[in-house]
């Protein structure tokens, strides 16, 4: 199926936004029964990940600890835009994520959600979703 | 080929377990000659990675250093289950890993093995393997 | 299409080398219109990532900060080759990266490039590129 694209508005410099529903909705509109779903964001200060969907404190702790490890400002940074930390976080979390689907449902665990990771917001961001059908 | 699933028992809170053989065995049972193998674990405190298969000290050093960077206990963590560190490690290592195969063999380097990464064990864990055939 | 392979020479212990052109050239030689491109490096002290292609200070800052977080030498490392840090960096950045292409072009953002990440160079390194055509 041709790549589908959606946009979202992020609320803060660091944010984790649950996009599982958006991905499943795209999958629902695809006739394929099983295959791969590659989710890709075309930004260098954002990423995609999977983590817990139940307790919102989990993503708060992710935000706290990644910002503790990689602070926004360091005197050694040379890049002039003040977001060198965001670029490193984007690479470590990765802007590409591949899911498996079977019987038209993503094979996510009961506690798993797909999150868009914002590391230099607030901004309007783009997400591409490519479905590859199994034979 | 329909997704194949296997389970494993992890021995400690942090552990790296070589699952290359399990993946190749699933590939051996598939008629496809070449394509992609997506390995996916449906947990939010575990992950998958590739690293050295020769010296067992390499994965000991991975365990040491990731736990040094992201300790189990921090006063700032809000999540009440005592495994906020495990959730961050899961996102940084990623629960999804895509391999390439050609002539029915994964194109791994001579020193590479696929590892299941346990960050909140010991537990019984699940791994899904989806093979997508090339045309 | 059968997996394509290319090699590159890295210039330093830590280096980020733009390989977007090499990947697009392989895609140009493939008749497929759309699908996935999985890029894979068969090494345990190197990786692949996506990051900014414009200001070369961004990858300098990536190098600085990842080496600050994970220094080459720590007394706790047991592995005798002096590159335990390189192995951890390889796992965190990942040796596997999946891109989406449509109309024969990778769907990269305007600021995105694909980088080979060297964490234990200088060395001669290998990169595999597998293209999976959409139906």
């Amino acid at each position: 199926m041709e790549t589908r694209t959606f946009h979202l508005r992020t609320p803060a410099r660091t944010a984790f936004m649950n996009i599982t529903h958006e991905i499943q909705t795209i999958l629902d509109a695809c006739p394929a029964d099983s295959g791969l779903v590659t989710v890709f964001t075309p930004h260098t200060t954002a990423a995609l990940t999977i983590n817990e969907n139940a307790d919102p404190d989990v993503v708060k702790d992710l935000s706290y600890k990644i910002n503790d490890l990689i602070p926004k400002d360091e005197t050694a940074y040379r890049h002039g835009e003040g977001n060198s930390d965001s670029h490193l976080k984007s690479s470590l979390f990765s802007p590409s994520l591949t899911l498996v689907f079977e019987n038209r449902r993503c094979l996510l665990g009961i506690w798993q959600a797909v999150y868009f990771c914002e590391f230099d917001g607030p901004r309007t961001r783009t997400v591409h979703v490519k479905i590859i059908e199994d034979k």
Side-chain angles (χ1 to χ4, degrees), chain A:
Chain A
M1 194 175 77
E2 202 182 337
T3 301
R4 296 293 186 260
T5 298
F6 66 91
H7 305 280
L8 72 169
R9 182 74 195 167
T10 62
R13 187 165 197 274
T14 304
F16 290 82
M17 302 181 71
N18 188 333
I19 57 170
T20 313
H21 178 74
E22 284 81 350
I23 294 165
Q24 185 61 50
T25 300
I26 290 167
L27 197 53
D28 289 344
C30 175
D33 278 328
S34 75
L36 301 181
V37 180
T38 295
V39 192
F40 186 87
T41 187
H43 307 291
T44 58
T45 55
L48 299 159
T49 199
I50 289 174
N51 222 297
E52 178 169 321
N53 56 18
D55 179 1
D57 281 343
V58 169
V59 296
K60 287 179 190 163
D61 288 351
L62 296 184
S63 297
Y64 154 70
K65 189 59 191 173
I66 197 69
N67 287 330
D68 177 57
L69 284 171
I70 307 170
K72 180 181 185 304
D73 296 308
E74 299 224 1
T75 52
Y77 290 149
R78 303 183 188 194
H79 181 52
E81 295 183 15
N83 61 359
S84 292
D85 65 310
S86 319
H87 287 287
L88 179 54
K89 292 163 191 168
S90 173
S91 277
L92 293 178
F93 281 80
S94 183
S96 175
L97 176 66
T98 296
L99 309 171
V100 173
F101 71 103
E102 203 74 40
N103 300 317
R104 312 192 61 181
R105 304 291 304 172
C106 281
L107 283 188
L108 292 171
I110 191 167
W111 304 110
Q112 284 182 321
V114 182
Y115 284 93
F116 183 87
C117 314
E118 175 61 83
F119 296 122
D120 193 29
R123 298 199 195 203
T124 299
R125 298 295 204 171
T126 297
V127 177
H128 300 305
V129 179
K130 182 73 174 178
I131 298 172
I132 297 287
E133 191 174 354
D134 195 7
K135 296 196 185 195

